[in-house]
Amino acid sequence: MHLSRRRFLHRSALASATLLTAPMILRHSALGADNPILIGSLHDQSGPIAASGVPMVHALQLAVDEMNAAGGLIGRPVKVVHYDTQSNIQMYSQYAQQLALKDKVAVVHGGITSASREAVRPTFDRFKVLYFYNVLYEGGVCDRNTFCTGTTPAQTVEKLVPAAMKKAGKKAYIIAADYNYGQITAKWMTKYVKDNGGEVASIDFFPLDVTNFGPTISKIQAAKPDLILSALVGGNHTAFYRQWTSAGMKGQIPIASTTFGLVNEPTTLDAAESENILGAYGYFEELDTPASKSFVEKIKKAHPDTPYISELAAATYEGVQLWAEGVRKAGSIDRAKVIDALESGLSFAGPTGTATLDHATHHTTRNAFLAEVKDRKWSVLESFPDVKPLDTAGVCDLVKNPADNKQYVISF
């Protein structure tokens, strides 16, 4: 996922300085201990990315509240030190150093866009602060200090593309955001189209501030593809789906997307604009299981105004719980000991099913789900259990190369 170049509203210098020196300490149960374990949280609760960040913070706090209600973690209460990164990459960089050097947290859970992840990951590597990135993304990060709990294209796009081709045909037209996420995801889409005997008519990339898709729609009409594969990102790109319908193309060429619905587009768009779009994620709020229903109920009871609860929130909850499992096994919050424990194959059964950490890649083996929009909600069509977290190029192996630290990108 990637951050728009929209010009953000900046708070005053005084307000920013106050935020730097006075983080929000989220609530915790009073367990009578004077030495709480601190968890750092870097999430956008304001600005364009807030619709994604707010449910993630709610999910993180739910996990911490449950720990404290059960007696804490290794005999100590847990506190969250949270900074609102305001959909601003500069804030991510500033607050990452604050968490590492002043707050001295045991772990950080945060980052939403890939740009935000790469803004903070080197800081946490340098200052030896364990980092969890709980977001679906383009894949390939290989870093022993970082754990990625969201899905990668090898887990979801690999399911989405053949399903869309089976439904519509073998000639695909790819539209994607003109940044890291969209460019790399388009490569994955191309791979899976070709793997399934299809062809790509064209690939068009769009800066995140683009809102006029008229010329593109004309190009698609001329190319006459069987389906559209979309990796468009953010609120501006939602305009494509409206303009597609206005052009009379809805129902003419099916659409499958790797991003649609993460911030509840099925509800914010008219039914005619979202109907029948295909998506594949590691979680949908509509997932009909006891664990999923309980998760949604608990968050919405505490926060009735919570936006749509997507994989972003579910993976955050599970990421916090997996870290806690590592602490329990290590009997310590010492970073090296916790990493060793996390690499032992720990699992957590949460709202998405069972997520298991993979030693070699520091990603998770987890369930994937294929769904279609019906009547402004997701209807889950198929479940894929225990999909392994294949790394981007098949080369990340932290067992053999624990000092590896880069992001591998698919090439073919």
Side-chain angles (χ1 to χ4, degrees):
M1 300 182 67
H2 292 268
L3 189 62
S4 169
R5 287 183 176 175
R6 291 179 59 180
R7 183 176 182 181
F8 301 120
L9 294 175
H10 293 288
R11 299 182 178 181
S12 69
L14 177 59
S16 296
T18 300
L19 281 170
L20 281 170
T21 57
M24 176 169 41
I25 309 293
L26 298 186
R27 67 189 184 278
H28 70 97
S29 299
L31 299 175
D34 296 325
N35 188 23
I37 297 172
L38 300 182
I39 294 181
S41 167
L42 289 176
H43 294 94
D44 305 309
Q45 286 195 281
S46 58
I49 313 297
S52 297
V54 169
M56 295 172 75
V57 171
H58 292 170
L60 185 155
Q61 188 62 51
L62 173 62
V64 170
D65 287 347
E66 290 177 345
M67 286 179 216
N68 285 330
L73 191 58
I74 58 173
R76 297 167 61 183
V78 182
K79 283 185 179 180
V80 181
V81 183
H82 176 73
Y83 291 99
D84 176 7
T85 39
Q86 305 169 45
S87 301
N88 187 328
I89 295 299
Q90 182 181 353
M91 293 295 184
Y92 272 100
S93 299
Q94 292 175 350
Y95 293 153
Q97 292 194 45
Q98 182 84 356
L99 287 169
L101 298 177
K102 182 178 179 181
D103 301 314
K104 298 187 183 303
V105 296
V107 65
V108 174
H109 291 263
I112 301 178
T113 68
S114 290
S116 67
R117 181 195 67 240
E118 293 309 301
V120 302
R121 189 166 64 88
T123 297
F124 298 136
D125 285 344
R126 183 182 316 120
F127 297 115
K128 301 188 185 309
V129 177
L130 187 59
Y131 176 48
F132 273 69
Y133 180 61
N134 304 304
V135 177
L136 64 99
Y137 80 114
E138 69 280 356
V141 169
C142 190
D143 178 354
R144 192 162 184 251
N145 191 63
T146 298
F147 289 84
C148 302
T149 65
T151 54
T152 66
Q155 293 172 302
T156 52
V157 183
E158 192 267 343
K159 309 300 182 186
L160 179 65
V161 170
M165 292 175 66
K166 182 177 180 181
K167 177 181 179 180
K170 293 185 177 296
K171 185 179 181 182
Y173 198 111
I174 297 173
I175 52 177
D178 192 15
Y179 298 95
N180 195 33
Y181 173 78
Q183 291 166 352
I184 296 174
T185 301
K187 291 184 177 182
W188 280 106
M189 289 174 168
T190 301
K191 168 182 165 54
Y192 292 129
V193 167
K194 293 182 177 180
D195 285 353
N196 287 277
E199 63 174 310
V200 175
S202 183
I203 304 175
D204 291 353
F205 293 104
F206 305 91
L208 292 181
D209 58 358
V210 168
T211 58
N212 179 15
F213 291 90
T216 300
I217 291 172
S218 295
K219 286 179 61 180
I220 295 171
Q221 290 171 322
K224 298 181 179 179
D226 298 314
L227 72 152
I228 294 172
L229 298 175
S230 168
L232 297 176
V233 173
N236 289 330
H237 284 181
T238 300
F240 170 81
Y241 302 99
R242 293 192 172 100
Q243 293 167 28
W244 182 253
T245 302
S246 296
M249 294 302 297
K250 185 65 179 175
Q252 300 299 313
I253 304 174
I255 298 174
S257 173
T258 61
T259 52
F260 188 86
L262 287 176
V263 290
N264 205 22
E265 290 91 340
T267 296
T268 56
L269 292 174
D270 291 339
E273 295 165 341
S274 64
E275 192 77 359
N276 300 126
I277 292 177
L278 282 176
Y281 298 114
Y283 179 76
F284 292 90
E285 181 181 303
E286 295 86 352
L287 192 62
D288 189 16
T289 65
S292 173
K293 289 180 177 179
S294 174
F295 175 66
V296 172
E297 180 182 352
K298 285 184 285 189
I299 288 183
K300 291 194 172 181
K301 182 178 180 180
H303 308 280
D305 59 345
T306 296
Y308 183 78
I309 301 172
S310 70
E311 178 186 327
L312 304 178
T316 296
Y317 176 82
E318 292 172 351
V320 176
Q321 297 286 8
L322 282 165
W323 166 78
E325 290 295 319
V327 171
R328 293 186 186 103
K329 182 164 185 177
S332 168
I333 59 171
D334 178 80
R335 183 186 70 109
K337 293 178 180 178
V338 174
I339 289 175
D340 286 342
L342 292 168
E343 291 176 337
S344 67
L346 292 179
S347 296
F348 179 77
T352 72
T354 298
T356 303
L357 285 170
D358 175 66
H359 185 172
T361 64
H362 280 204
H363 288 61
T364 53
T365 295
R366 57 167 56 256
N367 298 336
F369 304 93
L370 178 71
E372 185 177 23
V373 179
K374 291 290 185 183
D375 299 321
R376 304 181 77 188
K377 292 184 178 180
W378 286 106
S379 174
V380 179
L381 304 176
E382 193 170 356
S383 302
F384 305 92
D386 301 324
V387 185
K388 293 183 178 181
L390 301 176
D391 67 281
T392 298
V395 292
C396 178
D397 190 340
L398 293 167
V399 177
K400 294 180 180 179
N401 305 299
D404 201 355
N405 188 339
K406 64 183 298 185
Q407 182 177 14
Y408 292 95
V409 178
I410 182 174
S411 61
F412 60 94

